[in-house]
Amino acid sequence: MSRSKSWTLWEAWVAATAIAELVGLVVVLIVSTTMHLRGTPELVAVLHTVGLLQGIVLGFAQWLVLRRYIKHVGKWIAMTAIAVAIAWLVGIKAIALLSFFLVLDHTGTVEMKTLALARGVFLMGAWVGSVLGLAQWLVLREHIRRAGWWVFANAIAWACGLLVAFAGTTFMTFDRFDLATALAGAATGLAAGAVVGGITGIALLWLLRPRLKRQA
């Protein structure tokens, strides 16, 4: 396998995923803050729409990299967008429900509640990654062998990535939108995207190893 080609693929994949998550998280932050200030009851519906937009951005960014190595993967964008929208639909409600019960629980300490919420975020990440990986697997299986590992890689990657995003939210304030919040959101989005891109990028290199050898 050509070392230069493999590193080019991995670095481009990490950058594409990180930038996509940066854009997505900043958009979510702006929308969440705006809707919070307006006191609208349609926050969840709006976030579902944002989730679809985030899926389109992520799918497009990854497609720009993937098309250099695999031809005819135009379905990647649509499958990614649909998967992210579905994952958001369930995941947001699950986290909201967990947060609701934690608020009602007066027996646990703040540390215990934070740990419980972190576990919930980790499981939500695994759910998001599984749904997304499954959707993208439907595209990859037409072109490469052992594509089923892509689902597992995404589950691990997104579980870790959302934990990073969860940690980053401790530096944000949602009752107002200022420079500090914007910078925290940008840094969190980049970090979470880099984690997801780094893990899935390694899996992608492994899956494309025979193809990269032929192209060397």
Side-chain angles (χ1 to χ4, degrees), residues 67-83:
R67 64 174 182 164
R68 296 171 52 192
Y69 301 89
I70 304 178
K71 296 181 179 179
H72 310 300
V73 286
K75 292 186 294 185
W76 186 273
I77 301 174
M79 297 302 289
T80 299
I82 293 172

Side-chain angles (χ1 to χ4, degrees), residues 192-214:
V195 169
V196 173
I199 296 175
T200 55
I202 292 173
L204 188 62
L205 280 179
W206 179 68
L207 290 173
L208 292 180
R209 184 183 180 93
R211 188 180 295 263
L212 292 174
K213 279 185 175 181
R214 292 193 299 269

Side-chain angles (χ1 to χ4, degrees), residues 75-159:
K75 292 186 294 185
W76 186 273
I77 301 174
M79 297 302 289
T80 299
I82 293 172
V84 172
I86 293 174
W88 270 65
L89 181 65
V90 177
I92 288 178
K93 293 180 179 179
I95 291 299
L97 186 62
L98 175 60
S99 300
F100 174 75
F101 283 115
L102 288 176
V103 169
L104 293 180
D105 181 15
H106 300 292
T107 61
T109 64
V110 174
E111 291 76 12
M112 292 174 59
K113 292 181 179 181
T114 301
L115 181 58
L117 189 56
R119 290 172 179 170
V121 170
F122 183 86
L123 292 176
M124 176 185 168
W127 155 258
V128 170
S130 297
V131 174
L132 180 59
L134 181 61
Q136 293 178 338
W137 165 78
L138 294 174
V139 180
L140 288 179
R141 66 173 182 168
E142 300 176 0
H143 304 277
I144 58 179
R145 298 176 56 188
R146 302 175 297 181
W149 286 102
W150 187 248
V151 181
F152 176 75
N154 269 272
I156 297 298
W158 283 94

Side-chain angles (χ1 to χ4, degrees), residues 38-74:
R38 292 179 57 185
T40 176
E42 300 177 353
L43 175 60
V44 175
V46 172
L47 288 180
H48 288 167
T49 303
V50 173
L52 179 62
L53 295 176
Q54 185 180 21
I56 294 174
V57 172
L58 177 63
F60 180 74
Q62 291 181 338
W63 170 79
L64 287 176
V65 177
L66 197 60
R67 64 174 182 164
R68 296 171 52 192
Y69 301 89
I70 304 178
K71 296 181 179 179
H72 310 300
V73 286

